[in-house]
Amino acid sequence: MPLDDLENSDFVSFPDFFLQRMKIFREDGRGCEDYRHLEIETNVLSNTSGSSRVRLSNTDLLVGVKAELGDPAAEKPDRGKLEFFVDCSANAAPEFEGRGGEELATEISNMLARAYDCPRCLDLHKLSIIPGQQCWVLYIDILLLECGGNLFDAASIGVKAALHNTRIPTVTVSQDEGLMELEISDDPFDVQRLEVHSAPCIITVNKVGHSHVVDASHKEEECSLARLMMGVTSKGTITALRKEGSGSLDPSSLEDMMETGKRVGENLNKSLMNALIEDEHQQSSKKKPHGFLR
Amino acid sequence: MVDIRLAHSRQKPEKHESEELSNLVSPGNIITADTGFMRGHGTYMEDDKLYASVAGVVERVNKLICVKPLKTRYNGEVGDVVIGRIIEVQQRRWKVETHSKLDSVLMLSSVNLPGGELRRRSEEDEKMMRLYLKEGDLISAEVQSVFSDGSLSLHTRSLKYGKLGQGSLLHISPSLVKRRKTHFHNLPCGASIILGNNGYIWISPTVNEETDQTGGYEQNFEVYIYPVQRSDREVISRLRNCVLALAEHKMQLYDTSVLYTYEASLNFAVKDILKPEIMSEIIDSAQQRLEREGT
């Protein structure tokens, strides 16, 4: 059934009120392209190479990046690797207990891996140490602490912030009688940074009724029949695209949603970079992490 | 519009020193070392001292000391107004989710059925149960009795209770809802609000008293026939954000506090109410007005 017919059928009964008001006015008064209150903090975990915490209204997550030495992939010998892992804490939702959150976790990590699987968004050559033999592997762990909708976007924001915060120790390679020797600097200031300016953020555009909304709350997600997730860089390049949900989409609305996503993505990346730069300036004067205290 | 804040640029709320703080305890705090008191909910006894087992406010009734927790599931009491969602249709009863520890029940014999109040519930009615209320429906009800295990039995035997139609549902902590004589309010701003004792708040457009008090079993959901006006939606969203703001600042919810907050928020756009600095500004001015003229 085409999505646009749904509104005239009796398929949707109770969220009608919701759908109808969303056309013009969302539940909390936001417009279609507004985000909820978003707060980030970096450098929250001392035992990681880089970390961040994101709170998007009720959605709460923690991201840690750990740099470890490893073998490069056979087909890309001169590049480092990114490994995404998502953990859905049972604190976030009772459904996540046991193995309940695994499906969602793989979905998020796959989407992130796809969004970052683009040669121009993150310079992985920098992570290479000895081509074909040694490279840095960045293990990016995302812990979901609270679910309030729009997990994908929040996770990607967290990842970008954590990567910006990541400091990888400098490695010097010396050749000794044909044997390569690695020396990892243990000076906390002798470090490499990652260039994240062009790293993508995931933007989820939900089709609710006739409108295309971003940053859907949990309730709005329940009402949305189809959503489009895309990795968008600050220049508006779409690095990954994925459609989810049972509803079908018209090609014209698909294009429309992509346009919306691009526009929002550019804005989001810009604000995020500004916030991260400001954060760095404050980092020096900052005494201790804010963490979970409110 | 994306507005990203940093955690450490967050302003610390000013501390309002008040006497109330003296009876605020956290788990493990000694409430009293005096042995002349009785141990109530939220407390435990060790070495003849009375400790708090939850974070909350100490309440004393004669010799009985209780701690009323700030964050809690709903502990029902007879006569409370609650909002619940039907989760299951069973034999002669509905299972209702009311944010208590156990699911509540609504018996077929404790609802008003269409066509007369004192009608015997026949087998026909049992078969029709899903027609009246089905899974996912929202109802307002009153607590009829509390079972020995703490689960609640509800009733909707008054025209003001029953199925809820179009509106907005909010979840807040049950301890923030102030117990009042009435929990149904038609606010002058053009919306009705039901402050459920279980922390569920229902905001809906005000309906015409005479025509629509049918106990709600013939509620019309056809929004295309009865659309909610945009102005009504704006009012509802504003009220919703105001209630959330009050809850965020741990203020008690009752008609006056909601109304004053609503009026204080009128200077701002609806979506801005949830921004922390604007939220505290609104709450501060509402709080001052409550202290000045509130009841």
Side-chain angles (χ1 to χ4, degrees):
Chain A
M1 177 167 24
L3 186 69
D4 296 349
D5 285 353
L6 275 174
E7 280 189 304
N8 304 323
S9 72
D10 54 2
F11 178 68
V12 271
S13 59
F14 88 94
D16 272 6
F17 170 75
F18 215 78
L19 292 178
Q20 187 218 0
R21 56 190 294 184
M22 296 247 312
K23 264 189 214 164
I24 1 182
F25 205 78
R26 286 167 82 172
E27 191 191 28
D28 46 7
R30 274 184 298 155
C32 288
E33 294 176 16
D34 290 337
Y35 266 69
R36 291 171 287 175
H37 180 66
L38 179 60
E39 204 177 69
I40 56 171
E41 187 178 6
T42 57
N43 208 9
V44 277
L45 301 168
S46 53
N47 49 357
T48 57
S49 315
S51 59
S52 72
R53 176 176 177 251
V54 175
R55 193 169 171 85
L56 176 64
S57 187
N58 278 337
T59 304
D60 206 338
L61 46 88
L62 199 59
V63 182
V65 179
K66 188 86 183 146
E68 271 172 37
L69 288 175
D71 307 327
E75 67 275 16
K76 290 171 188 163
D78 54 345
R79 284 180 210 170
K81 284 197 288 191
L82 294 182
E83 299 271 347
F84 291 95
F85 180 78
V86 181
D87 184 23
C88 299
S89 154
N91 283 334
E95 306 83 281
F96 291 162
E97 211 182 309
R99 307 172 72 93
E102 240 162 57
E103 201 179 325
L104 178 71
T106 17
E107 265 179 47
I108 298 178
S109 51
N110 285 347
M111 187 63 203
L112 281 167
R114 274 177 57 187
Y116 273 89
D117 188 20
C118 160
R120 243 173 297 168
C121 58
L122 199 67
D123 187 13
L124 293 177
H125 292 285
K126 261 189 165 176
L127 297 176
S128 173
I129 303 165
I130 308 166
Q133 288 179 41
Q134 284 279 309
C135 72
W136 284 110
V137 183
L138 297 184
Y139 291 95
I140 304 173
D141 293 301
I142 301 158
L143 177 63
L144 289 183
L145 297 165
E146 208 179 325
C147 295
N150 207 13
L151 295 172
F152 286 80
D153 296 21
S156 70
I157 292 168
V159 168
K160 190 165 173 174
L163 285 175
H164 183 262
N165 181 237
T166 301
R167 278 147 179 83
I168 303 167
T170 315
V171 183
T172 37
V173 184
S174 53
Q175 207 148 12
D176 192 23
E177 292 161 23
L179 277 172
M180 297 285 204
E181 225 166 74
L182 298 183
E183 196 188 333
I184 299 171
S185 152
D186 47 10
D187 177 6
F189 293 100
D190 186 17
V191 287
Q192 270 185 306
R193 297 281 304 271
L194 286 166
E195 178 56 59
V196 293
H197 267 284
S198 44
C201 277
I202 297 176
I203 308 289
T204 312
V205 184
N206 292 265
K207 174 129 185 156
V208 185
H210 281 300
S211 23
H212 305 151
V213 300
V214 297
D215 190 24
S217 67
H218 199 64
K219 276 189 197 170
E220 286 167 342
E221 277 179 354
E222 291 286 306
C223 293
S224 134
L225 289 165
R227 60 187 70 91
L228 202 62
M229 291 185 283
M230 51 195 115
V232 185
T233 65
S234 53
K235 289 199 188 96
T237 317
I238 296 180
T239 61
L241 190 66
R242 185 178 159 195
K243 188 247 162 202
E244 210 192 40
S246 55
S248 52
L249 290 171
D250 205 56
S252 65
S253 64
L254 198 71
E255 268 171 39
D256 235 32
M257 286 162 96
M258 278 164 72
E259 277 309 311
T260 312
K262 253 165 124 172
R263 200 164 48 236
V264 176
E266 283 171 33
N267 268 331
L268 179 68
N269 275 304
K270 207 183 290 163
S271 327
L272 181 59
M273 268 336 281
N274 288 343
L276 289 175
I277 290 164
E278 193 196 329
D279 184 52
E280 213 170 296
H281 289 313
Q282 292 187 9
Q283 203 75 249
S284 46
S285 59
K286 197 175 115 182
K287 282 163 206 94
K288 57 179 180 198
H290 236 279
F292 300 92
L293 294 175
R294 290 225 267 160
Chain B
M1 256 287 291
V2 191
D3 178 19
I4 299 180
R5 309 288 180 86
L6 297 175
H8 43 261
S9 52
R10 196 193 296 151
Q11 283 146 351
K12 282 255 169 66
E14 291 164 48
K15 279 204 177 107
H16 294 288
E17 293 295 337
S18 65
E19 314 97 75
E20 268 185 350
L21 279 177
S22 62
N23 60 7
L24 201 63
V25 288
S26 52
N29 278 148
I30 300 173
I31 302 169
T32 175
D34 200 333
T35 48
F37 290 102
M38 275 160 67
R39 188 173 65 88
H41 287 297
T43 61
Y44 64 94
M45 199 72 116
E46 212 174 88
D47 308 329
D48 284 342
K49 286 179 197 133
L50 199 60
Y51 292 88
S53 62
V54 289
V57 189
V58 179
E59 280 183 354
R60 219 190 87 190
V61 182
N62 296 325
K63 294 246 150 209
L64 181 70
I65 290 185
C66 304
V67 180
K68 202 178 161 201
L70 286 176
K71 191 181 172 189
T72 169
R73 287 238 155 213
Y74 168 59
N75 291 312
E77 279 168 40
V78 175
D80 280 355
V81 174
V82 297
I83 311 257
R85 196 184 283 282
I86 307 287
I87 50 170
E88 213 178 312
V89 183
Q90 297 178 323
Q91 280 272 304
R92 281 187 290 271
R93 76 193 66 201
W94 289 274
K95 268 254 156 14
V96 189
E97 196 275 316
T98 52
H99 197 242
S100 34
K101 288 170 187 137
L102 297 161
D103 289 331
S104 312
V105 294
L106 175 68
M107 300 292 291
L108 180 60
S109 57
S110 43
V111 299
N112 270 335
L113 292 181
E117 287 200 15
L118 294 164
R119 191 157 66 83
R120 267 183 65 98
R121 268 61 178 169
S122 59
E123 210 175 306
E124 286 299 295
D125 287 323
E126 265 181 62
K127 287 177 187 160
M128 304 260 283
M129 276 177 69
R130 201 172 256 110
L131 237 60
Y132 305 133
L133 290 169
K134 61 175 183 296
E135 291 87 350
D137 283 349
L138 281 170
I139 54 161
S140 64
E142 193 179 292
V143 177
Q144 187 169 38
S145 58
V146 183
F147 295 121
S148 53
D149 60 354
S151 64
L152 307 174
S153 171
L154 309 176
H155 81 88
T156 61
R157 295 195 134 222
S158 158
L159 289 183
K160 60 182 181 184
Y161 302 126
K163 192 155 140 187
L164 300 170
Q166 301 182 50
S168 189
L169 180 73
L170 287 178
H171 304 231
I172 61 160
S173 169
S175 51
L176 293 175
V177 180
K178 193 169 182 171
R179 275 173 207 281
R180 309 239 65 198
K181 208 157 114 191
T182 169
H183 286 255
F184 289 76
H185 303 287
N186 286 332
L187 299 177
C189 51
S192 304
I193 188 165
I194 307 174
L195 302 164
N197 282 107
N198 58 342
Y200 287 11
I201 313 289
W202 178 253
I203 308 169
S204 57
T206 304
V207 288
N208 201 328
E209 293 278 321
E210 298 92 57
T211 54
D212 234 46
Q213 287 222 330
T214 56
Y217 294 101
E218 288 134 56
Q219 274 283 355
N220 221 321
F221 286 93
E222 304 285 316
V223 279
Y224 303 99
I225 306 170
Y226 300 102
V228 178
Q229 297 304 319
R230 186 194 155 104
S231 55
D232 281 342
R233 278 186 226 141
E234 222 173 296
V235 169
I236 291 172
S237 296
R238 187 178 285 277
L239 269 173
R240 170 192 183 271
N241 288 358
C242 287
V243 170
L244 285 179
L246 281 166
E248 176 79 30
H249 284 252
K250 304 279 181 284
M251 298 256 295
Q252 291 252 296
L253 279 173
Y254 53 103
D255 48 344
T256 329
S257 72
V258 172
L259 197 62
Y260 283 4
T261 317
Y262 178 85
E263 279 164 14
S265 79
L266 285 172
N267 301 328
F268 303 98
V270 176
K271 64 175 176 187
D272 291 338
I273 299 174
L274 292 179
K275 288 192 177 145
E277 66 281 355
I278 292 173
M279 194 194 282
S280 16
E281 196 181 323
I282 292 171
I283 294 293
D284 274 352
S285 77
Q287 199 166 17
Q288 276 165 19
R289 189 165 161 210
L290 273 175
E291 275 161 20
R292 224 168 35 236
E293 44 190 291
T295 44

